[in-house]
């Protein structure tokens, strides 16, 4: 999208995010491949936090009848109380089902439950309807449609936000990128507590930050 937003830079925001600026290159078009109310168990997974960096949950596709996922290499599938590891890449189809959401390779169901998470084991890219993402994907069903979340470390998330929010990185824009990185990171961190207990922290649109 071409819209850009202006921010007031928080004075206390940490500038430790600069190390990744040179590698900014978030989700972009690819030429090759590419929650349920009720019971206690149906509550959305809480934001994931680690000792190194927060993990954010970004809604990248909302209310789709089906979603196609392509993974070039090995990957893990987690659903319910269990998970499986798959050594080879695959092309998966995600749909809503009676149990919530289903991830299948052809006629073989790889995971089914209130939510299903698919993660490349070697940290590679994963493709959603042909668009590449870092991190993993988590799927929910709502009104018989599929919600797709990108579950990703905040620093990798910012690599996708900066080019979308401020444009292509150029040497003369280093300070502008620095300022935008501080603001974008602070905004994302603020959403972790605000959205605690919900299915996602951020939308990948101007409703939050373009990604």
């Amino acid at each position: 999208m071409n819209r850009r937003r202006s921010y007031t830079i928080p004075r206390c925001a940490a500038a430790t995010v600069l190390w990744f600026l040179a590698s900014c290159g978030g989700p972009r078009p690819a030429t090759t491949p590419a929650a349920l109310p009720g019971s206690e168990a149906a509550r959305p997974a809480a934001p994931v936090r680690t000792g190194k960096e927060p993990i954010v949950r970004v809604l990248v596709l909302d209310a789709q009848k089906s979603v196609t996922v392509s993974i070039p290499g090995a990957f893990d599938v987690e659903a319910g109380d269990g998970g499986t590891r798959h050594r080879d890449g695959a092309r998966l189809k995600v749909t809503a089902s009676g149990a919530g959401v289903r991830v299948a390779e052809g006629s073989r169901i790889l995971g089914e439950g209130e939510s299903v998470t698919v993660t490349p084991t070697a940290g590679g890219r994963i493709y959603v309807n042909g668009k590449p993402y870092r991190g993993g994907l988590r799927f929910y069903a709502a009104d018989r449609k599929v919600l797709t979340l990108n579950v990703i470390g905040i620093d990798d998330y910012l690599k996708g936000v900066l080019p979308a929010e401020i444009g292509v990185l150029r040497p003369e824009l280093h300070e502008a990128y620095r300022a935008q990185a501080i603001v974008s990171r602070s905004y994302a961190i603020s959403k972790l507590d605000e959205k605690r207990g919900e299915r996602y922290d951020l939308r990948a649109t101007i409703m939050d930050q373009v990604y």
Side-chain angles (χ1 to χ4, degrees), residues 143-210:
D143 298 325
R144 303 292 296 178
K145 298 291 180 67
V146 177
L147 307 182
T148 304
L149 280 58
N150 185 201
V151 182
I152 186 171
I154 193 168
D155 290 334
D156 277 342
Y157 165 69
L158 292 176
K159 293 175 186 177
V161 168
L162 295 183
E165 287 281 340
I166 203 171
V168 178
L169 179 63
R170 298 194 303 272
E172 63 270 24
L173 292 179
H174 179 79
E175 289 304 316
Y177 267 77
R178 176 184 179 183
Q180 183 68 54
I182 294 172
V183 172
S184 293
R185 192 178 199 278
S186 297
Y187 180 82
I189 289 291
S190 74
K191 286 292 183 176
L192 294 182
D193 288 328
E194 179 182 330
K195 296 293 186 177
R196 181 180 295 277
E198 299 186 23
R199 288 176 171 172
Y200 58 87
D201 305 306
L202 299 144
R203 290 178 177 268
T205 69
I206 59 172
M207 295 295 293
D208 285 305
Q209 299 187 118
V210 181

Side-chain angles (χ1 to χ4, degrees), residues 97-173:
S97 70
V101 66
R102 174 183 297 166
V103 174
E105 181 182 18
S107 60
R108 184 167 65 112
I109 298 175
L110 303 186
E112 187 170 18
E114 290 161 354
S115 71
V116 179
T117 302
V118 180
T119 309
T121 59
R125 300 297 180 94
I126 188 168
Y127 295 81
V128 180
N129 292 347
K131 185 175 182 178
Y133 289 89
R134 300 176 176 90
L137 300 173
R138 182 174 297 156
F139 303 97
Y140 290 101
D143 298 325
R144 303 292 296 178
K145 298 291 180 67
V146 177
L147 307 182
T148 304
L149 280 58
N150 185 201
V151 182
I152 186 171
I154 193 168
D155 290 334
D156 277 342
Y157 165 69
L158 292 176
K159 293 175 186 177
V161 168
L162 295 183
E165 287 281 340
I166 203 171
V168 178
L169 179 63
R170 298 194 303 272
E172 63 270 24
L173 292 179

Side-chain angles (χ1 to χ4, degrees), residues 17-37:
V17 295
L18 300 182
W19 64 268
F20 62 80
L21 292 178
S23 58
C24 288
R28 53 174 60 89
T31 56
T32 57
L36 295 178

Side-chain angles (χ1 to χ4, degrees), residues 8-90:
T8 300
I9 302 173
R11 295 180 180 177
C12 61
T16 56
V17 295
L18 300 182
W19 64 268
F20 62 80
L21 292 178
S23 58
C24 288
R28 53 174 60 89
T31 56
T32 57
L36 295 178
S39 67
E40 181 76 17
R43 292 181 181 177
V48 181
R49 298 173 186 266
T50 69
K52 294 184 179 180
E53 66 170 319
I55 303 297
V56 295
R57 304 162 301 165
V58 186
L59 180 66
V60 294
L61 285 178
D62 191 4
Q64 302 291 303
K65 184 176 181 180
S66 67
V67 176
T68 299
V69 176
S70 298
I71 310 174
F75 62 98
D76 292 334
V77 177
E78 297 180 30
D81 295 329
T84 55
R85 173 157 294 184
H86 304 270
R87 294 183 178 181
D88 300 321

